[in-house]
Amino acid sequence: MELVAGCYEQVLFGFAVRPEPAAGGDHEQKWTPVADFTHHAHTASLSAVAVNSRFVVTGSKDETIHIYDMKKKVDHGALVHHNGTITCLKFYGNRHLISGAEDGVICVWDAKKWECLKSIKAHKGHVTFLSIHPSGKLALSVGTDKTLRTWNLVEGRSAFIKNIKQNAHIVEWSPRGEKYVVVMLNKIDIYQLDTASVSGTITNEKRISSVTFLSESVLAVAGDEEVVRFFDCDSLMCLCEFKAHDNRIKDMFSFEIPEHHVIVTASSDGFVKMWKLKQNKKVPPSLLCEVKTNARLTCLGVWLDRVTDTKESLPPAAEPSVSKEESKIKEEAGNIVQEEERESKANTKKCGLTDDSNKPTKGNSLVSTKKRKMVEMLEKKKKKKKI
């Protein structure tokens, strides 16, 4: 297992975590994080990280996505399609990566060949966050145009647009995909998939920076404070809260391994901490281990060294275009605006046909780090000559 964390200082940290056998009278296993690697591929602060069974990908304010091979512990190159800060990265299985950026574009990447399969002008403003339904057939995205958008991933097109009152900065499906949450500042709207309407709203004390589902009904919430809170999505009650850090929490990640349900937190205080969740979520978790990076952390991921991933790839285009989930979302006809086919066609372009495909530093496939840095150096030299 490996904890990976990005920071303002342009570095990706990797810490291998191994459980040690419990000593004589100890009931709890001890977990020890050991510094494994630092990856300094970006030229600006890191803004997003995603992990599959082989690779860690990082997004940055330098507008690039870098790929790190976790098996070989080497740089695997860069993806340079976006024209803006990379805001979100999500893997679906081992075959597909979806990226969103401040250029308003969502890209679907082949995570084997590292080619851009589809480039979609998704939002009129920035894409702030996206989440893929567990089925792989749908995705939700939010942006700075005050919209929540539903995407048909089978056909690679927009399905519906819902106007919301404020700009949302987080959207997240529940583990079974029966509900999803939309975060605006310090408020969380909970949507039920069967009605596609808001069933309740949770209000946090401070602006929310990260949410993660611990189960279908329990949501962990962190923000611009030292505390993590667990909320029940049905009763909307706070089940428990605990002080996790000495500064604001920037990101969280939860996962399950045999005998352990774990939540990991990263903070501006430089610490990454692993917590063991109790079966009763009203009881605060216990600290498994912590590691200090001496950096201002921004994003977090966990690489689990698994042989295979059950979710291998997005559904093939041959499958029926309207899934059960999509038809459920369609029921809220009053609030969800079905996008005109004309606009969908205009905004959905195949890679290689996009407007920016002929720019020398932007492309649709893998670029080596050395090549990208050489291009940047040449551009700087040209600017100096002009001066």
Side-chain angles (χ1 to χ4, degrees):
M1 184 197 308
E2 196 117 357
L3 305 177
V4 290
C7 64
Y8 280 109
E9 289 80 6
Q10 307 173 9
V11 174
L12 177 71
F13 296 98
F15 295 94
V17 182
R18 295 179 184 90
E20 294 175 2
D26 291 347
H27 296 293
E28 286 284 333
Q29 253 183 339
K30 288 192 176 177
W31 295 67
T32 308
V34 178
D36 187 32
F37 71 88
T38 55
H39 188 221
H40 196 153
H42 290 285
T43 57
S45 60
L46 274 69
S47 49
V49 64
V51 183
N52 72 1
S53 64
R54 178 68 185 263
F55 299 102
V56 172
V57 292
T58 53
S60 166
K61 287 189 175 180
D62 66 10
E63 306 181 357
T64 67
I65 299 164
H66 271 270
I67 308 157
Y68 189 75
D69 189 324
M70 288 297 290
K71 300 279 189 184
K72 296 178 179 177
K73 293 291 191 299
V74 292
D75 185 284
H76 195 71
L79 306 173
V80 289
H81 186 81
H82 287 286
N83 286 300
T85 297
I86 311 301
T87 53
C88 43
L89 294 166
K90 299 284 177 182
F91 274 111
Y92 187 81
N94 288 320
R95 278 308 302 259
H96 294 95
L97 170 71
I98 303 183
S99 61
E102 287 187 358
D103 56 5
V105 171
I106 287 175
C107 288
V108 179
W109 301 89
D110 182 322
K112 296 286 186 188
K113 297 176 182 176
W114 296 109
E115 292 174 348
C116 182
L117 302 173
K118 183 77 77 172
S119 179
I120 307 164
K121 181 61 180 170
H123 287 267
K124 289 172 185 172
H126 303 166
V127 177
T128 50
F129 212 87
L130 60 87
S131 182
I132 305 168
H133 189 270
S135 68
K137 293 179 180 179
L138 290 177
L140 294 169
S141 69
V142 288
T144 56
D145 54 1
K146 296 182 183 176
T147 63
L148 165 65
R149 299 188 183 227
T150 307
W151 300 96
N152 178 332
L153 293 180
V154 179
E155 295 184 0
R157 62 170 178 83
S158 171
F160 307 105
I161 304 171
K162 178 179 171 62
N163 295 311
I164 49 181
K165 291 174 183 177
Q166 289 174 287
N167 286 329
H169 62 282
I170 299 172
V171 63
E172 197 72 62
W173 286 103
S174 63
R176 290 203 301 266
E178 292 172 7
K179 60 172 71 77
Y180 53 95
V181 294
V182 176
V183 181
M184 295 161 287
L185 298 174
N186 67 326
K187 286 189 167 66
I188 304 168
D189 281 341
I190 300 160
Y191 288 77
Q192 299 300 323
L193 182 61
D194 56 358
T195 60
S197 58
V198 178
S199 62
T201 300
I202 292 167
T203 305
N204 196 48
E205 285 187 23
K206 297 280 180 76
R207 183 185 183 275
I208 295 159
S209 58
S210 181
V211 299
T212 186
F213 277 95
L214 305 179
S215 67
E216 193 64 22
S217 59
V218 180
L219 185 71
V221 178
D224 291 348
E225 54 188 331
E226 303 87 3
V227 172
V228 175
R229 295 183 179 88
F230 296 167
F231 286 95
D232 186 303
C233 292
D234 299 322
S235 69
L236 308 178
M237 299 293 289
C238 181
L239 300 174
C240 79
E241 66 174 68
F242 63 99
K243 186 184 175 184
H245 292 271
D246 292 329
N247 208 325
R248 61 184 176 173
I249 296 157
K250 297 293 287 185
D251 206 359
M252 294 188 296
F253 190 92
S254 67
F255 62 96
E256 289 185 67
I257 51 174
E259 296 179 29
H260 286 82
H261 191 179
V262 177
I263 186 169
V264 187
T265 56
S267 165
S268 297
D269 64 10
F271 277 92
V272 179
K273 298 186 182 185
M274 267 179 70
W275 308 84
K276 183 183 179 182
L277 293 160
K278 309 297 181 188
Q279 206 158 12
N280 181 0
K281 298 301 182 287
K282 289 181 179 178
V283 180
S286 56
L287 185 66
L288 286 171
C289 65
E290 63 182 23
V291 62
K292 190 175 184 181
T293 63
N294 293 313
R296 293 169 296 164
L297 300 176
T298 56
C299 49
L300 174 70
V302 177
W303 180 72
L304 299 168
D305 192 3
R306 288 172 174 163
V307 178
T308 56
D309 196 316
T310 52
K311 295 183 290 189
E312 185 59 32
S313 62
L314 292 172
E319 290 193 15
S321 62
V322 180
S323 62
K324 187 181 174 185
E325 293 86 2
E326 197 171 313
S327 59
K328 282 182 180 178
I329 289 176
K330 203 172 182 178
E331 287 173 18
E332 198 196 16
N335 295 326
I336 299 177
V337 182
Q338 187 163 13
E339 196 172 25
E340 290 178 14
E341 201 65 28
R342 177 178 49 80
E343 190 183 338
S344 177
K345 283 176 183 174
N347 288 346
T348 309
K349 303 169 184 177
K350 286 212 182 258
C351 274
L353 302 176
T354 50
D355 294 336
D356 59 3
S357 62
N358 58 350
K359 291 186 183 178
T361 57
K362 299 286 169 186
N364 305 317
S365 57
L366 201 62
V367 174
S368 72
T369 307
K370 285 182 182 178
K371 189 176 177 183
R372 186 179 67 81
K373 288 186 175 177
M374 274 177 66
V375 170
E376 286 172 0
M377 281 172 65
L378 288 167
E379 283 180 354
K380 283 176 185 177
K381 283 179 182 178
K382 282 178 186 176
K383 283 177 185 176
K384 283 179 182 178
K385 283 180 182 178
K386 284 177 184 178
I387 293 163

